[in-house]
Amino acid sequence: MKALQRNDVIGTFPTSIGQKRCWFMEQMHPGNRGLNLAVRWELRGPVSSEMVATAFNRIIARHEILRTCFAEQDGEPVQQVVDHVDFKLDDVDVRALDEADRIARINAIAVEHAEQPFDMEEPCLLRVVMVRTNTQKAELLIAVHNAIFDGFSIGVLGHELGLTLEALSKGLEPNLPDLELQYGDYAQWSQDYEKSGAMEAEQIYWTETLREMPYFELLTNRPRSPSHAHSASCASELPADFDTQMSVAAKRLGTSIFALGTAAFSIALSRFSEKRDISFAVQVAGRTDVDLEPLIGIFTNPIVLRYKVDTKCSLTDHAEASRDIVNGALAHQTLPFDKLVQVLNPPRDPLRIPLVSIMFNLQKAFLNERMYGDLELVSVQSHSPATLYDLNVNIVGRNIGWRMVIDYNANLFDADTMRVFSDLLLDVFARIVAQPDALIEDIPLVARDLSVDEPEGKSIQLATAPSKPFDGTHRLREIWADILAMPPDKITGSFFDLGGHSVLALRMLARVGEEFNQRPSLYAFLSDPTLEGLAGQLEEPEASIDDLQVEKMPTQNSTSSAIWELIELRQGDVEGPVLLTVNQPFMYHTLAQQMTSGSTVANIGVPHNNALEELGKIGFDGAMVDAAGLVSERYGNRPLVLCGLCVDGRVALGLAQALNQIDKKVEVVGMIDTWAPGAIKAFSNMARARDGWRIRMRRLRYYFGLRMSGEITWRDVFSQNAFAASLLGKVGLVPSKSEEAGLVDATVDCLVGQTRGYDFDPYKGEAVLFVTRSQGMVPRDGVLGWSEILARDVAVYAVNGWHGDALTRSGFEKVIGVLDDKMQRLMPQPRP
């Protein structure tokens, strides 16, 4: 995140703990959909889109947090308030559609609107779509970033919107009291409070309560992997008298409906997992002062509830124990979750949220559904963009009744598994209100009978081989800190999310090789680019996996290849499409992290010099057959999109044809600056010479432009000229070419030689071409000489970048936008 330079900033404040958590998660995974909040309301009555837009503009002017963006100062995030934002209400009219099409259209808009990422550096992290369904009814689809909004804020926004619309409909000014505080004031106060040492008593309470607490998680259908979570939902309508039954039971036990709900939830988790030390998180509103209640902002704080489930106890005894657990936690709720993690300092795992894997919530809807004059606001179940937890269970009551929605990580769980758990939880709720004296052990266990999707040879247990402890992690952390120019205690998560890039990664791996006398391959590092992952690659097992009494996990490459190595840069939906890139995995790493479609992004490439020698021996056709076998076995019947830059685009096309030969369909082949073999011969030697000089000048102008905008250094500019680069190298200002860079160049030379005169068969599948500014001459056919090979309707996209920069800088958005759209269309449809 960069420090902002803007003239309209009227105030700069520290970030609250909640905002800092959002900022950090955004740095780890830019565009994280799990930080988006979606709200859906039905607006009934005579109201125009102009009135709604005016009302939102009034509310935005009233609340500074809705005119806030985030910047970085001295390495720390701050929030900046601007004096004005240009809020625009999106207006969609679906009245002409029949009911079925109208519902489908609204749901599609809701999903797209909710999942579109926000840019935290731009003010007003709020957007609204008004969908007109008839003359007296419209739906409001609201998406907002968690850094400026929480659940309680829904009620604040809804109430102010209702009052403002009522006043506007009558030609009056809304009667809203002045705000005594703004969110920035709260953030400043919370920072001062944290520094005062006033949280010591709470730290002692939580340390004692959570001492030696094991990390609780449910058995999963699939092992965890370093990929963006693909979220899915399991919804259930609760009985019409759910609220009444829970109220009566809670009153009988002298507890709250919420505490009774957590008791039922902990029992369900215990019976499902067959564990007794159960823990999960709940959100507390965090508005401990009445002056905070009128504000919009993020005040919520996760707190951890821990239960020791005694199966010999009755449901009543467990509910009474839950009352004390909840009351104790609420009495010590002001210790921020992030501070709690620091205090307890549990072992970090990049694949898990610290301390808890599950979130639970039970409450009435935040929106007060009521009439505002002739207008009525009604809460509607909204789409959940993503979940940050393995499970996020929300039980919400509205005027029309109560509903339970389980949002879960579909990379880990199958829909059938979640339905089994949902049914179990509903059964526990029914028992706790109707059979309070029954014993917990009377509730049947289900986990032992659960049928999970477990492929042959794969264990869903997290069993690993014992290994010799790696005692160099501290030194490894110091190397990363030096390379990334960061404090050692900030080294957590992916190397690339911490600001690393290809050059720094190669430099880091070279330092690792010098320090430890062993150097993981580039491909091995990219499969898990974390400190823990790299340390694991430097460990030496004391025993072979074959000697252990556990089932073996299949490796990513169950088919061996002397030429190719196949790695995943990002794992997505296990049934979804795969974007398979060719060679130069560093170039595609950023692309992989920015894809929003939930697809898998993989790379197939030549990993080392021995493989390159084998490529030279076997030839292009043999290499394509070898690669096709590897890809087919790894990805089975999943949809494939192939992509390559320059000569690697020819590899992508050759691989697609080889896959077609074994009845493995390729959906799309993408080629970036890829000329057809022999196409250059259409130009004379003189034309090619003139073009070479023009290209050199255009390249320098392009890189000078990047230098003027501050994106690169002067050394980077002069490195683009061979003569200047050689001079800089002699004086040590340009590092010598790394082994990996040399391998890339040698691989390109080998493939160019093998395909220079290659005769490609006509390809009937879909292909897209990307052409950057580095291509001066363009053959008359407009498709880089492919007119006789590719279909006549091949799409050609102009990219504002310079060859390799198409994947790393200027042209990135165009390339990823086209590929992401195609991957999105190939995603599996949700099961009914």
Side-chain angles (χ1 to χ4, degrees):
M1 182 178 290
K2 301 177 181 178
L4 289 179
Q5 303 277 329
R6 44 192 325 147
N7 298 323
D8 53 352
V9 172
I10 60 174
T12 300
F13 302 92
T15 50
S16 66
I17 289 290
Q19 288 178 323
K20 190 169 294 186
R21 184 188 317 128
C22 291
W23 173 84
F24 179 75
M25 295 177 71
E26 178 70 20
Q27 306 313 298
M28 294 292 293
H29 301 289
N32 192 332
R33 292 177 300 162
L35 297 175
N36 288 13
L37 301 179
V39 179
R40 187 170 175 175
W41 294 333
E42 192 172 88
L43 184 58
R44 301 171 181 173
V47 63
S48 66
S49 58
E50 290 78 10
M51 287 174 56
V52 173
T54 299
F56 271 104
N57 273 300
R58 294 282 188 95
I59 295 170
I60 290 170
R62 172 177 165 82
H63 292 272
E64 290 183 356
I65 191 64
L66 298 179
R67 291 178 277 118
T68 292
C69 56
F70 295 84
E72 189 176 282
Q73 289 184 357
D74 300 324
E76 287 291 323
V78 296
Q79 51 180 326
Q80 295 184 323
V81 180
V82 301
D83 60 352
H84 174 76
V85 294
D86 294 321
F87 172 81
K88 180 181 180 299
L89 176 73
D90 290 328
D91 192 8
V92 179
D93 195 328
V94 297
R95 285 178 287 185
L97 301 178
D98 59 38
E99 183 177 2
D101 290 341
R102 184 167 61 247
I103 294 174
R105 176 62 176 150
I106 295 174
N107 289 338
I109 295 172
V111 171
E112 180 180 2
H113 184 250
E115 295 191 353
Q116 182 182 346
F118 285 96
D119 182 352
M120 293 185 70
E121 296 182 16
E122 292 298 321
C124 194
L125 301 174
L126 164 78
R127 54 176 177 262
V128 185
V129 178
M130 181 175 176
V131 184
R132 175 70 68 180
T133 54
N134 63 45
T135 55
Q136 295 291 309
K137 188 180 298 183
E139 293 213 18
L140 293 180
L141 306 177
I142 301 170
V144 60
H145 199 284
N146 197 190
I148 67 162
F149 207 81
D150 61 10
F152 193 92
S153 299
I154 295 174
V156 177
L157 177 63
H159 182 59
E160 292 194 1
L161 178 65
L163 290 177
T164 304
L165 288 174
E166 180 182 7
L168 292 174
S169 67
K170 298 176 180 179
L172 303 174
E173 286 295 314
N175 184 23
L176 292 173
D178 293 337
L179 295 175
E180 299 296 329
L181 297 172
Q182 291 286 346
Y183 188 83
D185 301 316
Y186 162 76
Q188 184 66 65
W189 170 84
S190 63
Q191 183 185 74
D192 296 340
Y193 181 76
E194 183 182 359
K195 292 179 179 178
S196 70
M199 298 181 181
E200 183 177 353
E202 297 206 348
Q203 293 182 23
I204 294 173
Y205 169 83
W206 287 111
T207 301
E208 292 298 321
T209 301
L210 305 182
R211 184 185 302 278
E212 298 181 355
M213 181 184 77
Y215 190 88
F216 177 78
E217 56 189 345
L218 296 180
L219 191 71
T220 62
N221 295 113
R222 286 170 291 279
R224 295 180 186 273
S225 61
S227 61
H228 291 282
H230 173 62
S231 298
S233 297
C234 175
S236 301
E237 303 297 333
L238 299 182
D241 59 350
F242 177 80
D243 190 22
T244 301
Q245 289 190 22
M246 290 290 287
S247 297
V248 171
K251 184 176 181 180
R252 181 180 68 246
L253 297 170
T255 188
S256 65
I257 293 178
F258 176 78
L260 189 59
T262 62
F265 188 60
S266 61
I267 292 172
L269 290 175
S270 177
R271 303 309 283 170
F272 190 84
S273 65
E274 300 187 42
K275 298 178 183 178
R276 299 188 180 184
D277 198 338
I278 307 298
S279 56
F280 53 90
V282 297
Q283 290 277 15
V284 293
R287 301 178 188 239
T288 54
D289 191 298
V290 68
D291 290 335
L292 301 179
E293 293 184 1
L295 299 185
I296 290 174
I298 176 173
F299 297 87
T300 52
N301 182 45
I303 59 175
V304 182
L305 300 183
R306 182 184 186 185
Y307 290 81
K308 300 291 184 66
V309 180
D310 183 353
T311 58
K312 299 297 184 181
C313 281
S314 67
L315 301 181
T316 294
D317 292 339
H318 187 75
E320 290 176 345
S322 176
R323 174 190 59 203
D324 297 336
I325 291 171
V326 171
N327 289 341
L330 293 177
H332 299 86
Q333 64 173 283
T334 57
L335 182 69
F337 180 80
D338 304 75
K339 187 69 174 178
L340 174 62
V341 173
Q342 294 176 18
V343 170
L344 296 180
N345 193 27
R348 299 300 200 275
D349 183 340
L351 303 184
R352 291 169 170 82
I353 291 179
L355 296 181
V356 289
S357 66
I358 297 171
M359 176 68 73
F360 175 78
N361 184 41
L362 185 153
Q363 65 181 65
K364 291 287 186 69
F366 289 106
L367 177 70
N368 183 13
E369 299 175 293
R370 49 161 284 192
M371 298 294 297
Y372 292 92
D374 295 332
L375 305 175
E376 183 180 11
L377 267 179
V378 177
S379 175
V380 180
Q381 176 67 39
S382 60
H383 168 71
S384 177
T387 177
L388 300 175
Y389 299 85
D390 292 359
L391 271 69
N392 191 349
V393 180
N394 279 287
I395 302 175
V396 180
R398 297 180 173 84
N399 288 351
I400 61 172
W402 286 74
R403 195 167 193 253
M404 179 173 73
V405 178
I406 303 177
D407 296 309
Y408 61 92
N409 184 344
N411 294 354
L412 301 178
F413 299 103
D414 288 337
D416 291 343
T417 301
M418 285 298 98
R419 177 52 61 189
V420 170
F421 177 73
S422 175
D423 292 344
L424 171 63
L425 180 54
L426 294 176
D427 179 51
V428 175
F429 272 117
R431 291 170 183 263
I432 207 166
V433 297
Q435 305 171 22
D437 295 328
L439 301 181
I440 293 176
E441 65 181 4
D442 293 337
I443 301 174
L445 292 167
V446 296
R448 65 183 60 173
D449 299 322
L450 184 63
S451 177
V452 297
D453 179 16
E454 185 175 339
E456 184 178 354
K458 178 185 290 186
S459 170
I460 59 175
Q461 301 292 340
L462 301 176
T464 58
S467 60
K468 181 179 179 180
F470 177 66
D471 58 4
T473 303
H474 177 71
R475 179 58 187 143
L476 204 58
R477 186 182 298 277
E478 290 179 340
I479 292 174
W480 278 39
D482 184 38
I483 293 290
L484 296 168
M486 295 179 64
D489 60 351
K490 300 295 185 182
I491 301 298
T492 180
S494 167
F495 181 86
F496 300 98
D497 291 335
L498 293 171
H501 49 75
S502 59
V503 175
L504 291 181
L506 293 175
R507 193 176 302 165
M508 180 272 295
L509 290 174
R511 289 271 298 275
V512 169
E514 295 171 359
E515 181 74 21
F516 300 104
N517 294 320
Q518 52 177 319
R519 180 175 175 173
S521 71
L522 168 61
Y523 276 74
F525 172 65
L526 286 178
S527 67
D528 185 4
T530 62
L531 192 71
E532 295 80 7
L534 183 56
Q537 293 161 23
L538 296 172
E539 294 175 353
E540 297 182 1
E542 289 183 343
S544 167
I545 286 284
D546 295 327
D547 297 331
L548 301 176
Q549 299 302 312
V550 295
E551 295 179 77
K552 294 190 293 183
M553 295 286 292
T555 63
Q556 286 189 348
N557 299 324
S558 54
T559 297
S560 61
S561 170
I563 302 173
W564 305 104
E565 186 165 359
L566 181 60
I567 64 168
E568 288 190 350
L569 303 176
R570 190 193 75 172
Q571 292 181 317
D573 188 305
V574 295
E575 297 179 353
V578 178
L579 173 61
L580 182 62
T581 60
V582 180
N583 284 317
Q584 306 190 57
F586 269 138
M587 281 193 171
Y588 296 99
H589 185 272
T590 303
L591 180 146
Q593 305 311 310
Q594 294 296 317
M595 296 282 283
T596 62
S597 59
S599 55
T600 296
V601 181
N603 184 267
I604 186 170
V606 179
H608 45 69
N609 286 316
N610 290 339
L612 180 59
E613 291 179 8
E614 189 63 28
L615 173 63
K617 294 177 183 177
I618 197 173
F620 188 71
D621 285 326
M624 294 303 96
V625 171
D626 186 67
L630 182 65
V631 173
S632 179
E633 179 150 345
R634 176 67 178 88
Y635 292 117
N637 294 321
R638 293 173 64 177
L640 282 176
V641 173
L642 307 186
C643 181
L645 169 72
C646 195
V647 71
D648 293 331
R650 297 179 184 176
V651 176
L653 180 60
L655 177 55
Q657 293 181 327
L659 286 165
N660 288 341
Q661 290 294 319
I662 57 175
D663 297 325
K664 172 64 178 170
K665 182 183 178 183
V666 174
E667 303 291 340
V668 184
V669 176
M671 296 187 284
I672 306 168
D673 282 352
T674 302
W675 284 56
I680 193 68
K681 294 180 181 179
F683 300 91
S684 67
N685 291 336
M686 181 64 72
R688 278 181 270 176
R690 284 198 302 267
D691 185 67
W693 282 106
R694 285 197 299 267
I695 290 297
R696 291 187 187 96
M697 297 305 298
R698 286 169 57 191
R699 181 195 294 125
L700 283 176
R701 285 198 298 270
Y702 173 75
Y703 282 99
F704 270 124
L706 294 180
R707 175 65 192 93
M708 293 300 99
S709 64
E711 294 186 51
I712 62 176
T713 66
W714 282 115
R715 184 176 63 183
D716 297 321
V717 174
F718 291 121
S719 296
Q720 300 305 313
N721 180 275
F723 177 72
S726 67
L727 292 179
L728 292 174
K730 291 179 181 179
V731 296
L733 294 180
V734 174
S736 58
K737 185 172 291 187
S738 67
E739 180 181 340
E740 286 81 1
L743 175 62
V744 169
D745 290 347
T747 302
V748 168
D749 291 341
C750 179
L751 290 170
V752 167
Q754 290 182 342
T755 61
R756 182 177 285 115
Y758 191 81
D759 187 15
F760 281 94
D761 293 329
Y763 183 70
K764 298 180 180 180
E766 181 182 357
V768 294
L769 302 180
F770 300 93
V771 181
T772 74
R773 291 170 56 187
S774 67
Q775 304 304 304
M777 301 184 301
V778 177
R780 292 179 181 178
D781 64 2
V783 291
L784 301 184
W786 291 105
S787 56
E788 300 298 323
I789 308 291
L790 303 179
R792 293 184 177 181
D793 61 349
V794 59
V796 182
Y797 297 92
V799 174
N800 182 30
W802 197 272
H803 205 53
D805 281 4
L807 296 171
T808 57
R809 213 187 323 261
S810 305
F812 178 77
E813 292 182 356
K814 171 65 73 174
V815 175
I816 194 175
V818 172
L819 294 178
D820 217 5
D821 285 345
K822 294 185 179 297
M823 302 301 286
Q824 184 64 56
R825 290 196 291 270
L826 296 172
M827 289 296 295
Q829 297 300 312
R831 298 176 183 175

